Amino acid sequence: MACKATAISNLRPLVICGPSGSGKSSLLVKLMCEYPSKFGFCASHTTRNRREGEINGIHYRFTNVHDMQKAISEGKFIETAEYGGNLYGTSKEEVAKITNRGMMCILDVEVNGVRQIKKSDLNPWYIFIQPPSIEELERRLRSRRTETEESLKERLRIAKNEIEYGLEPGNFDKIIVNDEFDSAYEELKAFVDENILEKETE
Ligand code: ADP
């Protein structure tokens, strides 16, 4: 008897975490292309400059320091972080917008964001994307051509701490090593199929 993934069993959000350059965006884009009606990406707010090709409201909600600090003081964020001199955060309103549409909300957050979310009542699934090695992470960040030499060094330094937290038992429901992209994606899809999408027998 065939088994087919058909419906979302609940609306627990999905938190994807991993060092910058570990492949979170690439994996998420593929997942959302495969399940366009099931997942909605929660664009973080950020005060950092928009990179070429990034669309406001899709990749991030670009804002300024004054507005962001005001919203933070009003308790409008689930988690916030300062990274590379810029502010980032997940707003409660963005998550609610997606959940209210009956879609599962995907959050792409740093380790400190995970720590804060764990203290909130969001109760998501947690997945950690692990790079195969620091050397490979550096190669990928360089080939992405989005970093200055200084920010690259900073990202690699932070990555070491993030990997330590990611591998600590109990912090994540699933750890995926993104060595070969297609295999990593299959692992992500298998986790989503098993745990998140309801199985219905035909
Ligand atoms: P993140 O969203 O975690 O910062 P990205 O998805 O932007 O990471 O990936 C960083 C870079 O690494 C991109 O240029 C991407 O194409 C590349 N990449 C991602 N996964 C792999 C992989 N398994 N093998 C080789 N390159 C990869």
Side-chain angles (χ1 to χ4, degrees):
M1 193 175 279
C3 207
K4 196 174 133 199
T6 51
I8 283 190
S9 58
N10 60 52
L11 291 176
R12 278 177 75 187
L14 178 63
V15 165
I16 302 261
C17 178
S20 177
S22 60
K24 300 178 298 291
S25 312
S26 316
L27 289 165
L28 288 180
V29 165
K30 191 159 177 172
L31 183 72
M32 288 189 289
C33 284
E34 187 154 347
Y35 300 103
S37 63
K38 306 232 182 275
F39 296 102
F41 183 69
C42 178
S44 296
H45 281 61
T46 184
T47 60
R48 86 147 158 74
N49 291 331
R50 197 167 63 82
R51 290 178 192 150
E52 205 185 316
E54 286 181 332
I55 300 165
N56 188 31
I58 302 280
H59 300 94
Y60 283 97
R61 291 219 169 267
F62 296 97
T63 180
N64 59 64
V65 175
H66 174 268
D67 291 353
M68 181 106 180
Q69 279 174 342
K70 182 168 177 283
I72 292 170
S73 68
E74 290 167 351
K76 292 187 173 164
F77 285 87
I78 297 169
E79 57 85 31
T80 57
E82 195 175 334
Y83 193 85
N86 298 301
L87 291 171
Y88 294 81
T90 303
S91 91
K92 293 177 183 171
E93 193 184 335
E94 288 293 319
V95 174
K97 263 193 231 162
I98 294 165
T99 309
N100 291 343
R101 272 189 248 134
M103 296 167 102
M104 173 164 290
C105 181
I106 297 186
L107 307 170
D108 175 346
V109 296
E110 309 291 337
V111 157
N112 281 329
V114 169
R115 287 196 177 100
Q116 292 171 59
I117 291 170
K118 280 178 186 269
K119 289 183 196 153
S120 77
D121 56 7
L122 200 66
N123 190 32
W125 294 96
Y126 293 98
I127 297 183
F128 187 74
I129 308 299
Q130 189 192 339
S133 65
I134 288 287
E135 292 73 25
E136 178 58 19
L137 184 66
E138 180 170 352
R139 256 193 297 280
R140 289 180 193 172
L141 280 172
R142 283 190 189 282
S143 71
R144 197 170 69 177
R145 297 175 186 279
T146 53
E147 310 305 315
T148 62
E149 194 58 31
E150 194 187 342
S151 74
L152 190 126
K153 291 269 176 305
E154 171 77 349
R155 284 187 189 269
L156 290 174
R157 187 187 63 73
I158 293 168
K160 288 177 191 155
N161 294 330
E162 290 179 318
I163 293 168
E164 218 169 274
Y165 179 80
L167 301 186
E168 241 172 65
N171 284 346
F172 288 86
D173 297 303
K174 174 82 184 162
I175 296 170
I176 296 173
V177 180
N178 181 17
D179 187 355
E180 207 276 305
F181 183 81
D182 290 340
S183 319
Y185 179 71
E186 285 311 314
E187 258 192 85
L188 174 63
K189 190 163 133 53
F191 181 85
V192 162
D193 279 340
E194 266 165 44
N195 297 288
I196 297 173
L197 301 175
E198 200 173 71
K199 302 259 184 211
E200 230 177 53
T201 49
E202 288 183 330

